[in-house]
């Protein structure tokens, strides 16, 4: 059963066995496993309930509806936009449906550095099988690959670089190109179409427009969840909700899961709570191609091909290096690229059909922290503190130069990025300008679509927040199953890694193991 | 104009809140009194079609839009043709006080303080178009808060201009495949 906030007209008091906080990649999986085990389960999702019929393929409408803070959530210095879904289905509704596993080198890194001996490829294999089947993961069909992405593949092939086509969790994709705005065709197999409806069929009650404020520990090892029904859109408080339960599964995401735990006073004895955040920052690049070379970046699968020649993944450090991935489909956001206004900017925008767009992904080591701000309403609000390291900056600049060289090789006439001050690069002999690239607040807009950490797995509370079964170190029956548990960045796309980790832990829990 | 190679230095100050617009509040803070901001806000909805902006804010934002996306050039349509300031107003959240303070601060800073910084006389909106563009680009190149005001206002104008369906033919974008209005939010009392 799905109950939307506007259907609630009075304070609620409920009792259940398990409460799942959040309905995205981790929450959806958890809800399904709890309900499948016959446990009375309630899912609380702060975002609204939207369906394919509501998605209008316009970013100015869909970002406020589907994204956390209307797509304006940033690090405290404003330099990095941190995109997270905030809707029924969470980020699985707004991602580009790319299904990548946790890299083998990352698992080895976790084993070597953090002693996570249970998280092996063998131990995760059954979870991959279940998740891939539920999501219909398969290699993307050739017919929805667009020219914008194929440019990467063709150029990489010509240069002898590694590149490939993503696996994806789509079904009957028409290639409209609007993944970031929610799929209007129900092709993207997010939790909104897979785990959550199945959990609902199995008896789970899923409440949308309900924000969890804090958790109270009751006598006898039970818990009370204090939540609030909010108005969709404004998210103003409407009615209080109290739910008594035996088990809580946190899946509110890397930013809000630790905030709720902090508000609840559960941070005592968890020195790592809110620390070790990876943002995997990326920058958007645009390359104006010859007039005859139409990219039509907004049609077809927006993000379907990667160029991975410069990946540097090792057991010593996990993900490293940098890579390029095609990206497309957002005329509004892409209008921010370049540093011009007036007729110069109009000339650049008139090249939109023959402009290639891609993202330069530069994996980071976990270095961010959540800071806490006590609001006037007495609630803790998370603030993402994150500073780029010198090592990352140097790697970014190497990556930018390499990407620019690659794009010139592909035929680019002019390369821009999402910086209001850094002017276009119009020939390879200008690449040295990238040495002075302004990686400073206000000078560039980086994006993080894969925020991880803040409740990382560790063998004990000194080094981690949850154990290898994703249970809090300091409290029984509170689990965390979202991206916050990743000790370091798990992969270039995090939906599948989150689901697989959640599946392993929740399957075990449901089986009583 | 676009091939600038000397980059401005950035300040390291922490910003009040980084929606793009909030940056303007800090930029304008030394130049504007609290009363001035409040006065501007109090006159909101002076134009019947506006939800959030005051008449004065609307007027300045209209000129900013015309500077960022003027008529003519690569394609005819400009910000004035779609009443960009009204469109932006329709997307502003009246409850987002930091964002609104930022926008108001940015507009007032640009209108009243920025010209003097560039040794220009009068208000921004009274300047001829080439000087307005020159002033905005000078802010871009100044660094720190001035650059933040440039980035915020530029981003606001280009985002809501190019997501308007009338702008799409000019940039060769054939638009969404489904023709639907904005999503409907259930009306309930908070």
């Amino acid at each position: 059963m799905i109950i939307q906030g506007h259907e609630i007209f009075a304070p609620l008091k409920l009792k259940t066995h398990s409460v799942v906080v959040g309905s995205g990649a981790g929450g959806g999986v958890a809800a399904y496993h709890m309900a499948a085990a016959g446990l009375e389960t309630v899912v609380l999702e702060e975002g609204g309930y939207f369906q394919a019929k509501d998605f209008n393929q316009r970013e100015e409408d869909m970002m406020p509806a589907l994204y956390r803070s209307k797509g304006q959530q940033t690090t405290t210095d404003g330099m990095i936009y941190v995109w997270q879904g905030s809707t029924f289905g969470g980020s699985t509704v707004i991602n580009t449906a790319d299904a990548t596993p946790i890299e083998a080198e990352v698992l080895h890194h976790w084993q070597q550095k953090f002693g996570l001996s249970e998280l092996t490829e063998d131990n995760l294999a059954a979870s991959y099988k279940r998740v891939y089947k539920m999501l219909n993961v398969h290699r993307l069909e050739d017919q929805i690959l667009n020219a914008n992405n194929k440019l990467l593949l063709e150029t990489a092939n010509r240069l002898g670089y590694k590149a490939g086509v993503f696996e994806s969790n789509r079904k009957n994709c028409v290639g409209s190109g609007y993944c970031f705005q929610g799929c209007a065709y129900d092709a993207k197999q997010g939790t909104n179409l897979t785990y959550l409806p199945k959990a609902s069929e199995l008896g789970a009650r899923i409440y949308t427009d309900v924000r969890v404020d804090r958790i109270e520990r009751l006598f006898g090892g039970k818990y009370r969840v204090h939540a609030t029904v909010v108005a969709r859109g404004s998210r103003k408080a409407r009615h209080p909700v109290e739910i008594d339960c035996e088990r809580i599964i946190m899946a509110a995401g890397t930013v809000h899961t630790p905030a709720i735990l902090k508000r609840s006073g559960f941070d005592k004895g968890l020195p790592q709570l809110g620390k070790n955040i990876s943002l995997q920052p990326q920058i958007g690049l645009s390359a104006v191609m010859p007039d005859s070379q139409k990219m039509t970046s907004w049609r077809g699968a927006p993000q379907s091909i990667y160029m991975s020649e410069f990946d540097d993944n090792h057991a010593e450090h996990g993900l490293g290096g940098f890579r390029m991935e095609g990206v497309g489909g957002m005329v509004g956001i892409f209008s921010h690229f370049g540093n011009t206004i007036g007729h110069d900017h109009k000339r650049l925008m008139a090249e939109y059909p023959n402009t290639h767009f891609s993202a330069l992904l530069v994996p980071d080591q976990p270095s961010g922290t959540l800071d806490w701000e006590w609001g006037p309403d007495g609630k803790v609000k998370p603030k993402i503190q994150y500073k780029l390291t010198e090592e990352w900056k140097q790697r970014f600049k190497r990556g930018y130069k390499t990407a620019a060289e690659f794009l010139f090789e592909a035929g680019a006439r002019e390369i821009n990025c999402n910086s209001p001050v850094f002017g276009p690069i119009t020939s390879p002999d200008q690449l040295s300008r990238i040495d002075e690239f302004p990686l400073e607040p206000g000078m560039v807009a980086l994006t993080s679509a894969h925020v991880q950490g803040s409740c990382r797995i560790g063998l004990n509370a000194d080094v981690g927040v949850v154990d290898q079964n994703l249970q809090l170190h300091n409290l029984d029956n509170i689990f965390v199953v979202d991206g916050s548990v990743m000790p370091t960045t798990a992969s270039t796309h995090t939906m599948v890694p989150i689901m697989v980790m959640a599946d392993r832990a929740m399957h075990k829990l449901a089986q009583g193991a | 104009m676009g091939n600038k190679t000397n980059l401005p230095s950035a300040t390291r100050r922490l910003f009040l809140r980084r929606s793009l617009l909030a940056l303007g509040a800090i930029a304008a803070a030394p130049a504007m009194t609290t009363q001035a901001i409040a006065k501007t806000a109090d006159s909101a909805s002076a134009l019947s079609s506006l939800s959030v902006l005051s008449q004065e804010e609307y007027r300045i934002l209209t000129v900013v839009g015309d500077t960022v996306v003027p008529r003519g050039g690569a394609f005819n349509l400009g910000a004035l043709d779609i009443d960009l300031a009204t469109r932006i107003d329709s997307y502003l959240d009246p409850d987002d006080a930091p964002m609104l303070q930022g926008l108001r601060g940015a507009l007032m800073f640009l209108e009243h303080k920025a010209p003097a910084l560039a040794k220009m006389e009068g208000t921004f909106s009274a300047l001829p178009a080439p000087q307005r563009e020159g002033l905005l680009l000078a802010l871009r190149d100044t660094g720190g808060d001035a650059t933040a005001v440039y980035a915020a206002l530029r981003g606001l104008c280009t985002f809501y201009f190019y997501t308007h369906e009338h702008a799409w033919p000019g940039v060769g974008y054939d638009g969404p495949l489904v023709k639907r209005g904005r999503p409907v939010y259930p009306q309930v009392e908070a």
Side-chain angles (χ1 to χ4, degrees):
Chain A
M1 182 189 298
I2 297 167
I3 304 112
Q4 301 182 61
H6 68 270
E7 298 169 319
I8 302 171
F9 289 90
L12 282 183
K13 286 194 176 184
L14 305 170
K15 281 188 180 177
T16 190
H17 181 276
S18 295
V19 171
V20 179
V21 182
S23 67
V29 171
Y32 169 72
H33 279 297
M34 293 304 104
L39 301 170
E40 199 177 1
T41 302
V42 167
V43 180
L44 301 176
E45 167 57 54
E46 181 181 357
Y49 180 66
F50 293 99
Q51 298 172 276
K53 66 180 176 55
D54 301 311
F55 302 144
N56 71 0
Q57 304 181 334
R58 298 182 67 144
E59 60 206 280
E60 73 274 33
D61 295 328
M62 292 295 99
M63 292 188 81
L66 305 177
Y67 286 59
R68 169 70 63 183
S69 301
K70 304 178 180 181
Q72 296 291 314
Q73 177 175 260
T74 68
T75 50
T76 51
D77 64 5
M79 188 158 60
I80 306 177
Y81 282 80
V82 181
W83 283 356
Q84 294 182 292
S86 184
T87 183
F88 176 78
S91 294
T92 70
V93 173
I94 56 157
N95 67 19
T96 46
D98 295 314
T100 62
I102 305 172
E103 299 290 341
E105 294 88 347
V106 170
L107 289 176
H108 297 154
H109 177 56
W110 292 355
Q111 288 154 23
Q112 286 183 18
K113 181 168 181 182
F114 301 101
L116 305 182
S117 56
E118 293 180 25
L119 301 179
T120 63
E121 287 173 290
D122 285 347
N123 285 351
L124 294 171
S127 292
Y128 275 110
K129 199 171 175 184
R130 284 191 290 269
V131 168
Y132 277 27
K133 184 178 179 191
M134 181 72 90
L135 299 188
N136 191 40
V137 171
H138 62 288
R139 182 194 179 276
L140 268 171
E141 296 86 354
D142 286 342
Q143 61 266 29
I144 60 168
L145 306 180
N146 62 13
N148 187 66
N149 276 273
K150 284 198 272 192
L151 183 82
L152 293 182
L153 190 61
E154 290 159 4
T155 306
N157 287 343
R158 197 162 63 243
L159 294 171
Y161 287 176
K162 287 181 209 156
V165 178
F166 279 116
E167 295 205 312
S168 168
N169 58 312
R170 292 173 169 88
K171 191 182 279 182
N172 301 320
C173 176
V174 299
S176 69
Y178 295 97
C179 300
F180 288 115
Q181 285 95 55
C183 181
Y185 307 93
D186 276 348
K188 180 164 48 182
Q189 300 296 294
T191 58
N192 57 321
L193 297 179
T194 54
Y195 286 99
L196 294 171
K198 287 190 187 299
S200 176
E201 284 170 20
L202 292 164
R205 283 175 291 167
I206 304 171
Y207 291 84
T208 65
D209 313 286
V210 175
R211 179 188 68 221
V212 171
D213 299 317
R214 66 186 175 89
I215 302 161
E216 180 186 359
R217 198 175 176 193
L218 303 176
F219 184 74
K222 296 192 176 181
Y223 298 99
R224 178 169 295 155
V225 176
H226 295 267
T228 305
V229 182
V230 297
R232 193 170 302 171
S234 72
R235 303 215 171 167
K236 287 182 179 171
R238 292 185 58 235
H239 302 293
V241 177
E242 286 182 8
I243 307 176
D244 288 358
C245 61
E246 295 179 25
R247 177 183 294 157
I248 294 173
I249 303 163
M250 298 296 302
T254 295
V255 179
H256 287 270
T257 285
I260 293 167
L261 295 174
K262 171 81 176 175
R263 263 179 231 147
S264 309
F266 296 163
D267 55 321
K268 293 174 187 66
L270 291 177
Q272 300 298 326
L273 185 76
K275 296 179 180 172
N276 313 303
I277 291 176
S278 304
L279 291 181
Q280 203 181 91
Q282 52 184 280
I283 190 167
L285 301 174
S286 67
V288 180
M289 307 302 289
D291 293 344
S292 59
Q293 208 170 337
K294 295 300 177 203
M295 294 287 107
T296 322
S297 67
W298 59 91
R299 288 279 176 263
Q303 195 157 41
S304 55
I305 289 172
Y306 56 88
M307 189 279 279
S308 57
E309 176 69 17
F310 301 95
D311 281 2
D312 179 25
N313 305 336
H314 280 292
E316 269 182 22
H317 58 244
L319 293 194
F322 51 85
R323 63 159 48 190
M324 294 175 73
E325 296 183 357
V327 65
M330 295 179 289
V331 69
I333 286 178
F334 291 147
S335 75
H336 293 173
F337 285 39
N339 70 339
T340 57
I341 56 173
H343 293 301
D344 285 343
H345 187 253
K346 288 183 83 171
R347 270 194 292 277
L348 184 63
M349 287 303 296
E351 308 267 19
Y352 187 46
N354 52 296
T355 298
H356 163 87
F357 293 97
S358 51
L360 173 67
L361 283 77
V362 186
D364 55 344
Q365 290 298 312
S367 61
T369 59
L370 285 177
D371 202 359
W372 318 103
E373 181 181 64
W374 293 89
D377 54 2
K379 296 195 175 93
V380 172
K381 292 179 182 169
K383 295 163 70 178
I384 308 166
Q385 304 279 11
Y386 187 88
K387 217 172 175 180
L388 299 171
T389 65
E390 279 307 314
E391 188 279 331
W392 187 92
K393 288 180 180 179
Q394 293 309 315
R395 194 151 38 91
F396 169 89
K397 289 175 183 176
R398 280 203 308 277
Y400 199 152
K401 278 187 188 176
T402 304
E405 281 176 340
F406 183 90
L407 291 169
F408 280 124
E409 174 63 30
R413 291 191 278 121
E414 172 180 336
I415 297 167
N416 286 287
C417 69
N418 197 352
S419 163
V421 299
F422 192 73
I425 299 173
T426 54
S427 70
D429 60 16
Q430 296 175 5
L431 294 179
S432 61
R433 283 179 47 217
I434 294 169
D435 292 333
E436 305 302 319
F437 190 87
L439 283 165
E440 301 281 349
M443 302 289 128
V444 62
L446 302 173
T447 303
S448 167
H450 308 120
V451 56
Q452 299 157 85
S454 83
C455 297
R456 77 177 181 193
I457 308 170
L459 293 181
N460 58 58
D462 290 335
V463 294
V465 174
V466 296
D467 62 23
Q468 293 186 78
N469 293 320
L470 308 187
Q471 182 169 223
L472 281 190
H473 276 299
N474 63 344
L475 286 169
D476 286 338
N477 269 326
I478 297 185
F479 295 80
V480 179
V481 298
D482 53 32
S484 69
V485 302
M486 304 299 178
T488 63
T489 187
S491 182
T492 54
H493 296 264
T494 48
M495 176 185 65
V496 163
I498 292 168
M499 286 180 161
V500 164
M501 298 283 275
D503 178 273
R504 175 181 170 272
M506 295 297 100
H507 184 74
K508 263 176 98 171
L509 187 63
Q511 304 298 314
Chain B
M1 272 183 183
N3 278 300
K4 181 176 168 2
T5 54
N6 298 320
L7 294 167
S9 62
T11 63
R12 275 285 186 191
R13 103 193 313 173
L14 292 180
F15 297 119
L16 179 65
R17 176 184 168 229
R18 166 69 163 169
S19 75
L20 276 175
L21 302 175
L23 297 170
I26 292 144
M32 276 188 84
T33 64
T34 306
Q35 292 86 342
I37 291 173
K39 188 179 170 189
T40 307
D42 286 346
S43 59
S45 302
L47 293 181
S48 59
S49 60
L50 297 175
S51 302
V52 177
L53 294 174
S54 70
Q55 190 168 7
E56 177 68 353
E57 291 154 1
Y58 168 82
R59 187 185 66 77
I60 300 166
L61 185 56
T62 297
V63 179
V64 175
D66 181 43
T67 311
V68 174
V69 194
R71 284 173 169 151
F75 50 91
N76 286 330
L77 196 80
L80 295 178
D81 297 310
I82 63 164
D83 191 2
L84 180 62
T86 296
R87 175 168 166 77
I88 291 170
D89 175 80
S90 75
Y91 279 94
L92 294 175
D93 179 354
D95 296 321
D96 192 342
M99 187 273 294
L100 294 178
Q101 187 184 21
L103 175 58
R104 290 182 167 125
L107 290 173
M108 293 304 117
F109 169 79
L110 179 63
E111 176 73 349
H112 297 293
K113 298 296 176 189
L117 294 178
K119 297 186 171 35
M120 295 175 179
E121 290 189 2
T123 59
F124 171 80
S125 60
L127 295 171
Q131 286 188 42
R132 279 190 267 123
E133 182 178 349
L135 177 53
L136 279 174
L137 293 175
L139 293 182
R140 176 193 71 184
D141 299 342
T142 297
D145 295 334
T147 300
V149 169
Y150 167 81
L153 293 175
R154 173 186 185 268
L156 187 70
C157 290
T158 62
F159 182 84
Y160 285 107
F161 179 81
Y162 288 104
T163 52
H164 192 288
E165 54 270 28
H166 290 179
W168 298 339
V171 298
Y173 172 48
D174 52 1
L177 300 172
V178 298
K179 308 300 177 194
R180 296 172 185 163
R182 294 187 191 181
V184 176
Y185 293 87
Q187 295 300 304
V188 287
E189 283 187 19

